[in-house]
Amino acid sequence: MLHLRLICPPSRTNEALSVLEECLGVTNIVVLPGAAREPAGDLILCDTARESANEALSRLKWLEDEGSIAIEHIDLSLSRVAEEAVEEAPGDPDDAVVWEELSQRVHNDSRITWAYLAFLAIATQLAGIGALQNSPILIVGAMVLGPEFGAVAAICFGLLLRRWRLVIEALRTLFVGFTIAIAITFACALVSHWLGWIDITNLNINDEVKFIVKPDRWSFIVALLAGVAGVLSITSGKSSALIGVFISVTTVPAAGYLAVALAVGDWAEVAGPVWQLAVNIFGMVLAGTVTLLIQRRVWPQVGRPSSH
């Protein structure tokens, strides 16, 4: 379930309460008159099933300007009325997409931050070392560490709702992030090459990681499946499934391979990782956007009770 904390102007408190009382799946409603100070107003607390959140939030949208809305996830709720509220709500909690929550998440993930750049740069360097050392373990580690799917999800969300500014910002985040990560990895690999630690032969004896530079129909299919799984994991709140998405796609490994190939002058291996990177991103964006479209069109029509 979700916990809602609302700050409402006293003149519209009854209106907000009516909305909450009419929505199936909303319970544990508490009103504290005049408790809020900034902004000033009445404090309303309640719990809602995930399936009911979209209706309640859409009907209380005016509180964004006139008050405040905050949402928290409830990890444990020991309450019979809460169980009954979930049963009353249509659908199943794991299938519900809270669109306001998703909107805020993808907006946050579409921004360029120091943490994003650092994780992507470290992941790309790990991938580069994995390619040079013929180490699938390092390649998998780089996949898990890469933070790029947040920006991919933002592109999908922006395309779905035609928020072109979000799409452009997320594309810029991907482009700038991978450019900086490749540049840093290239510089480190170039220094290693000058020191005699690595040379072009390192890329000629790495058969176990050659899949990084050989995009084919299977690369595209994997990207499609990863896009679907990634979107489902962030919309349903099952973030643990996102780890599987990271391990499935080879965006970061392709970037790392590209950087070291440039550093050692293996020009024949440059085109492969570029295409692999493009195929993975395009496939994830395509599948992710279609998945969100299906969720947005199908979910409101689901009316079966929850089962526990």
Side-chain angles (χ1 to χ4, degrees):
M1 295 192 72
L2 302 175
H3 179 68
L4 272 60
R5 185 180 72 248
L6 313 175
I7 297 178
C8 181
S11 60
R12 304 194 67 176
T13 297
N14 289 335
E15 179 183 349
L17 289 174
S18 296
V19 169
L20 296 176
E21 291 168 354
E22 292 171 5
C23 290
L24 292 176
V26 177
T27 188
N28 295 333
I29 302 173
V30 177
V31 183
L32 301 174
R37 291 292 180 265
E38 183 57 42
D42 297 337
L43 179 62
I44 303 176
L45 308 174
C46 68
D47 298 334
T48 177
R50 281 182 62 90
E51 311 94 294
S52 303
N54 288 319
E55 180 184 0
L57 292 174
S58 63
R59 295 178 62 182
L60 294 171
K61 191 77 173 176
W62 48 271
L63 275 177
E64 287 189 36
D65 299 320
E66 300 183 35
S68 175
I69 302 177
I71 304 175
E72 299 174 350
H73 290 269
I74 299 177
D75 295 325
L76 176 64
S77 178
L78 303 177
S79 168
R80 183 174 183 82
V81 293
E83 293 179 0
E84 293 173 350
V86 174
E87 292 290 342
E88 290 177 356
D92 191 274
D94 286 342
D95 296 330
V97 182
V98 183
W99 293 98
E100 290 294 338
E101 177 188 41
L102 179 61
S103 176
Q104 187 171 87
R105 176 170 183 172
V106 298
H107 274 86
N108 292 337
D109 289 342
S110 69
R111 298 198 306 265
I112 299 175
T113 64
W114 288 111
Y116 166 80
L117 295 176
F119 277 119
L120 191 54
I122 294 171
T124 304
Q125 290 186 73
L126 285 175
I129 296 172
L132 290 167
Q133 298 298 311
N134 196 29
S135 173
I137 294 176
L138 284 177
I139 296 296
V140 172
M143 291 175 175
V144 174
L145 189 59
E148 74 279 4
F149 190 80
V152 171
I155 295 172
C156 299
F157 187 81
L159 290 173
L160 175 71
L161 300 183
R162 299 181 181 180
R163 297 184 182 178
W164 308 120
R165 184 174 179 179
L166 176 62
V167 173
I168 293 172
E169 185 176 359
L171 284 171
R172 182 173 66 93
T173 297
L174 280 178
F175 178 78
V176 172
F178 274 111
T179 299
I180 292 176
I182 291 172
I184 293 174
T185 304
F186 168 79
C188 293
L190 190 61
V191 171
S192 299
H193 182 50
W194 288 341
L195 292 173
W197 296 353
I198 61 173
D199 56 38
I200 196 170
T201 59
N202 289 92
L203 294 182
N204 295 331
I205 55 173
N206 59 354
D207 293 338
E208 291 191 31
V209 298
K210 278 291 185 182
F211 65 91
I212 298 173
V213 291
K214 293 183 178 180
D216 53 21
R217 70 189 69 179
W218 298 110
S219 300
F220 185 63
I221 292 173
V222 169
L224 292 176
L225 295 174
V228 174
V231 166
L232 289 176
S233 68
I234 63 174
T235 55
S236 66
K238 292 185 176 297
S239 57
S240 59
L242 202 55
I243 300 299
V245 176
F246 293 153
I247 298 177
S248 300
V249 294
T250 55
T251 49
V252 167
Y257 202 109
L258 173 61
V260 296
L262 291 172
V264 300
D266 193 352
W267 308 111
E269 297 285 8
V270 169
V274 172
W275 278 110
Q276 185 75 280
L277 185 61
V279 165
N280 275 276
I281 292 177
F282 176 74
M284 287 191 293
V285 168
L286 177 62
T289 304
V290 172
T291 302
L292 284 176
L293 177 62
I294 293 174
Q295 288 179 300
R296 191 167 180 85
R297 294 289 177 84
V298 173
W299 168 244
Q301 302 172 15
V302 177
R304 64 180 178 81
S306 303
S307 57
H308 295 275

